[in-house]
Amino acid sequence: EAGVAQSPRYKIIEKRQSVAFWCNPISGHATLYWYQQILGQGPKLLIQFQNNGVVDDSQLPKDRFSAERLKGVDSTLKIQPAKLEDSAVYLCASRNDRAGPEAFFGQGTRLTVV
Amino acid sequence: AQSVTQPDIHITVSEGASLELRCNYSYGATPYLFWYVQSPGQGLQLLLKYFSGDTLVQGIKGFEAEFKRSQSSFNLRKPSVHWSDAAEYFCAVGGSSASKIIFGSGTRLSIRP
């Protein structure tokens, strides 16, 4: 079975620019997570979707971050405008709640804001 | 509140030696517990999980973990480490369906030849 796909793998932008990340979860996985992982830290949950509805976005900086999951499949995470402190790896994960409690992760997108 | 504490930031062990990585959690209901491993530039790979049954769980790559409810702990162990085990290890806690999964800050494992 194909894993979680993310693109791009790397992105370098200047501060105040906008950027978008894309995630394609494992087929049939209803739950989708976006995490931010700053260098040397653990992943921090930004937003959780159940199908195309938001379950938890309490840690999402909504003044600059937005996310959507159209049709309950693919998801995009956007940052506008970016700040230097947004430099991190953005990880997408998906979960099939009927098969097990664990999440499966993509390889992530490394964002550098200069 | 849901939280995970990994008290060891960095551990170095000799190749062939045993390993124990500590994890303590806080969760209001029955926890689902996980250990993930992350190699440089890679995503997270699941090593093992616990959500019911036998409190000693076996995972991939020869790892095991023991759930101790009285101590709110889920420590990861391996009897003999290999150089390829050098990586970052994350403990995580979650709940049943539609719950969030929260990660600890990680423990970096280095292997001494």
Side-chain angles (χ1 to χ4, degrees):
Chain A
E1 126 183 298
V4 177
Q6 290 189 247
S7 67
R9 286 295 312 276
Y10 306 94
K11 190 74 176 178
I12 301 174
I13 62 172
E14 295 182 349
K15 60 184 179 183
R16 293 187 289 275
Q17 285 187 323
S18 63
V19 64
F21 313 126
W22 173 82
C23 173
N24 185 12
I26 295 172
S27 177
H29 284 199
T31 299
L32 186 147
Y33 306 94
W34 281 103
Y35 288 86
Q36 178 193 58
Q37 186 178 22
I38 293 172
L39 186 64
Q41 299 182 18
K44 171 189 166 185
L45 181 65
L46 292 176
I47 189 167
Q48 176 186 345
F49 292 94
Q50 186 76 8
N51 296 307
N52 59 353
V54 175
V55 174
D56 188 323
D57 64 356
S58 57
Q59 297 297 304
L60 188 72
K62 299 180 187 62
D63 57 333
R64 298 184 300 106
F65 286 64
S66 64
E68 60 182 8
R69 190 181 184 194
L70 300 175
K71 301 180 182 178
V73 183
D74 292 9
S75 177
T76 56
L77 176 69
K78 297 179 181 178
I79 308 175
Q80 183 179 7
K83 293 184 175 181
L84 296 177
E85 58 261 36
D86 298 332
S87 294
V89 176
Y90 292 84
L91 295 164
C92 179
S94 68
R95 175 180 177 180
N96 181 348
D97 298 312
R98 290 175 292 177
E102 67 271 30
F104 296 87
F105 283 80
Q107 290 192 300
T109 296
R110 180 176 298 277
L111 173 67
T112 302
V113 182
V114 298
Chain B
Q2 191 175 341
S3 67
V4 177
T5 301
Q6 294 182 249
D8 303 307
I9 297 174
H10 183 205
I11 285 181
T12 300
V13 299
S14 298
E15 189 168 17
S18 63
L19 170 71
E20 182 168 23
L21 302 183
R22 295 182 291 166
C23 172
N24 292 96
Y25 69 90
S26 173
Y27 195 74
T30 301
Y32 288 43
L33 294 158
F34 313 91
W35 275 98
Y36 284 84
V37 61
Q38 186 178 38
S39 298
Q42 301 298 314
L44 279 75
Q45 180 185 20
L46 180 71
L47 283 176
L48 46 79
K49 62 186 176 186
Y50 170 80
F51 54 98
S52 67
D54 193 345
T55 57
L56 184 64
V57 294
Q58 303 296 320
I60 62 172
K61 305 185 180 185
F63 286 92
E64 65 178 25
E66 185 171 14
F67 170 60
K68 293 185 177 180
R69 185 184 299 276
S70 62
Q71 298 177 20
S72 297
S73 70
F74 189 57
N75 293 350
L76 181 71
R77 301 194 294 247
K78 187 169 184 178
S80 176
V81 298
H82 186 261
W83 64 267
S84 59
D85 293 326
E88 189 90 20
Y89 291 80
F90 294 96
C91 182
V93 66
S96 57
S97 63
S99 71
K100 56 188 177 184
I101 299 176
I102 301 300
F103 284 81
S105 54
T107 297
R108 183 161 61 95
L109 175 65
S110 297
I111 306 298
R112 189 184 302 119

